[in-house]
């Protein structure tokens, strides 16, 4: 279900990449690798213009801008972590607790009173973590989704992201962007037996359990809150990012109420809007393949995948997953 897109919609002029199943650059004709809808989208008269494609360089530039606008991220004094054991590549599947102490020694919980944090945290208890069990979405939970989206859209970071996407003719108005964010992230689809049991937000930020394993769960706030309650047990890490400030990146091994996660990569100390914005950018610009960014002068890649079994609107894709890649 996790595949690169086979369409040229919004991709005309993108550089050729071996990661792509098909291509939308004019050179694809000589290579015989054009997507099936290349003519409809990318030839003169098609409704996707090459100027609307997002180049690799533009991704580096806009990601640095978003990094600089993460005004709500943790300060160095707000978080103290204790990574302890670093797992070798062959150790991540061993399910051994090699770190006797919690990952988080200290978090300044005043962070959580910031509007984007508090509205984000209220969303985390809205989900049945087991796939195959239909989600029952209440009116209050719908309101919590709207509150979170409204708060993140007030931030300079998300306004910058919208301005960038608007300049690429992806959205005509902020309201259209807001409505699409709600669908791509919170729209329900079925990972199980036809039940509306999952969404991009649940999978990425809250976490799920599928076939006895933790699926998704890539958020530091969720991890901290559950570790504090004794529900998450930190085992080890296999990657620690190059940053000496926040946001940092860790690749984690942990148990969630008895279910194991072999590698749960996560930003540490970033604001909810930072992760939400970066994942959205990469999902729209490079769905199904590595999205190469620059954050504080450091290279970093994010992987996203669209859900391929169902769509919304005019064939738009829900988010299946999004996560920061550990080298």
């Amino acid at each position: 279900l996790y595949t690169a897109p086979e369409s040229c919609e919004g991709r005309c002029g993108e550089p050729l990449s071996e990661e792509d199943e098909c291509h939308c650059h004019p050179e694809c004709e000589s290579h015989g690798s054009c997507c099936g809808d290349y003519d409809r989208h990318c030839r003169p008269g098609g409704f996707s213009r090459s100027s609307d494609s997002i180049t690799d360089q533009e991704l580096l530039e806009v990601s640095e801008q978003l990094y600089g606008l993460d005004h709500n991220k943790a300060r160095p004094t707000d978080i103290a972590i204790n990574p302890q054991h670093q797992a070798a590549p062959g150790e991540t599947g061993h399910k051994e607790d090699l770190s006797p102490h919690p990952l988080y020694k200290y978090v300044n919980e005043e962070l959580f009173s910031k509007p984007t944090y508090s509205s984000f945290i209220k969303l985390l208890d809205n989900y049945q973590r087991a796939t195959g069990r239909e989600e029952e979405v209440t009116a209050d939970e719908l309101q919590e989704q709207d509150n979170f989206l409204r708060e993140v859209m007030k931030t300079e970071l998300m306004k910058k992201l919208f301005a960038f996407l608007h300049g690429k003719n992806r959205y005509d108005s902020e309201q259209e962007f807001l409505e699409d964010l709600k669908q791509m992230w919170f729209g329900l689809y079925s990972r199980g037996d036809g039940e509306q049991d999952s969404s991009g937000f649940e999978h990425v930020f809250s976490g799920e359990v599928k076939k006895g394993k933790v699926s998704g769960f890539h958020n530091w706030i969720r991890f901290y809150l559950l570790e504090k309650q004794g529900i998450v047990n930190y085992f080890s890490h296999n990657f620690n990012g190059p940053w000496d400030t926040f946001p940092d990146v860790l690749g984690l091994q942990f148990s969630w109420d008895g279910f194991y996660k072999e590698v749960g990569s996560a930003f540490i100390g970033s604001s909810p809007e930072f992760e939400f914005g970066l994942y959205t950018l990469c999902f729209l610009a490079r769905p199904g393949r590595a999205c190469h960014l620059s954050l504080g002068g450091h290279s970093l890649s994010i992987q996203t995948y669209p859900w391929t079994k169902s769509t919304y609107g005019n064939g738009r894709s829900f988010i299946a997953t999004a996560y920061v890649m550990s080298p």
Side-chain angles (χ1 to χ4, degrees), residues 42-152:
C42 304
R43 288 201 176 281
F47 62 84
S48 287
R49 293 168 294 185
S50 59
S51 60
D52 297 343
S53 67
I54 297 172
T55 67
D56 292 346
Q57 182 61 35
E58 286 171 330
L59 279 175
L60 298 177
E61 291 169 358
V62 74
S63 56
E64 278 290 1
Q65 291 167 351
L66 297 179
Y67 178 84
L69 291 173
D70 189 13
H71 303 313
N72 287 327
K73 68 182 177 184
R75 296 164 299 180
T77 54
D78 287 330
I79 299 177
I81 60 174
N82 184 14
Q84 300 165 82
H85 183 78
Q86 181 159 358
E91 286 186 316
T92 59
H94 288 180
K95 302 183 182 180
E96 293 181 49
D97 184 357
L98 300 170
S99 301
H101 302 291
L103 174 62
Y104 287 92
K105 291 196 290 187
Y106 169 76
V107 170
N108 177 10
E109 294 193 9
E110 288 183 11
L111 280 172
F112 300 158
S113 64
K114 294 176 180 283
T116 56
Y117 283 82
S118 61
S119 59
F120 172 83
I121 289 169
K122 287 178 180 176
L123 293 168
L124 296 175
D125 64 357
N126 290 354
Y127 299 102
Q128 298 268 9
R129 70 179 181 183
T131 58
R133 296 178 60 185
E134 183 147 352
E135 295 291 344
E136 297 179 8
V137 184
T138 67
D140 285 345
E141 289 171 353
L142 288 172
Q143 187 61 55
E144 288 173 355
Q145 294 173 11
D146 290 338
N147 290 345
F148 171 70
L149 290 168
R150 184 174 63 249
E151 292 300 337
V152 296

Side-chain angles (χ1 to χ4, degrees), residues 104-295:
Y104 287 92
K105 291 196 290 187
Y106 169 76
V107 170
N108 177 10
E109 294 193 9
E110 288 183 11
L111 280 172
F112 300 158
S113 64
K114 294 176 180 283
T116 56
Y117 283 82
S118 61
S119 59
F120 172 83
I121 289 169
K122 287 178 180 176
L123 293 168
L124 296 175
D125 64 357
N126 290 354
Y127 299 102
Q128 298 268 9
R129 70 179 181 183
T131 58
R133 296 178 60 185
E134 183 147 352
E135 295 291 344
E136 297 179 8
V137 184
T138 67
D140 285 345
E141 289 171 353
L142 288 172
Q143 187 61 55
E144 288 173 355
Q145 294 173 11
D146 290 338
N147 290 345
F148 171 70
L149 290 168
R150 184 174 63 249
E151 292 300 337
V152 296
M153 285 308 301
K154 290 178 183 177
T155 65
E156 282 188 71
L157 188 154
M158 288 298 288
K159 287 187 180 298
K160 176 63 185 178
L161 176 59
F162 166 70
F164 175 74
L165 295 170
H166 177 63
K168 291 294 179 179
N169 292 304
R170 302 301 174 98
Y171 299 99
D172 290 332
S173 67
E174 194 170 301
Q175 184 60 33
E176 182 190 356
F177 180 44
L178 190 65
E179 291 170 0
D180 198 36
L181 286 171
K182 185 166 186 178
Q183 286 298 320
M184 76 171 77
W185 279 105
F186 293 102
L188 294 173
Y189 51 82
S190 175
R191 286 184 195 264
D193 303 316
E195 306 287 351
Q196 298 292 92
D197 63 346
S198 188
S199 68
F201 186 92
E202 177 186 5
H203 180 84
V204 172
F205 294 106
S206 183
E208 298 180 294
V209 172
K210 184 175 183 179
K211 296 181 179 178
K213 295 181 179 180
V214 176
S215 181
F217 198 141
H218 298 286
N219 180 253
W220 76 271
I221 299 168
R222 174 72 159 162
F223 190 102
Y224 165 75
L225 293 172
L226 291 182
E227 185 180 59
K228 183 181 176 183
Q229 296 173 45
I231 298 171
V232 159
N233 181 20
Y234 170 70
F235 283 14
S236 57
H237 69 286
N238 65 300
F239 170 69
N240 191 342
W243 290 266
D244 54 9
T245 183
F246 298 114
D248 200 353
V249 177
L250 283 178
L252 308 170
Q253 290 72 54
F254 62 90
S255 170
W256 179 18
D257 207 14
F259 299 99
Y260 187 64
K261 181 71 174 181
E262 186 169 338
V263 180
S265 58
F267 286 104
I268 308 292
S270 54
S271 69
E273 61 267 30
F274 178 78
E275 292 180 62
F276 194 71
L278 275 196
Y279 291 151
T280 298
L281 169 67
C282 285
F283 181 68
L284 294 172
R286 299 288 186 270
R289 48 207 193 279
C291 176
H292 303 298
L293 309 177
S294 179
L295 303 177

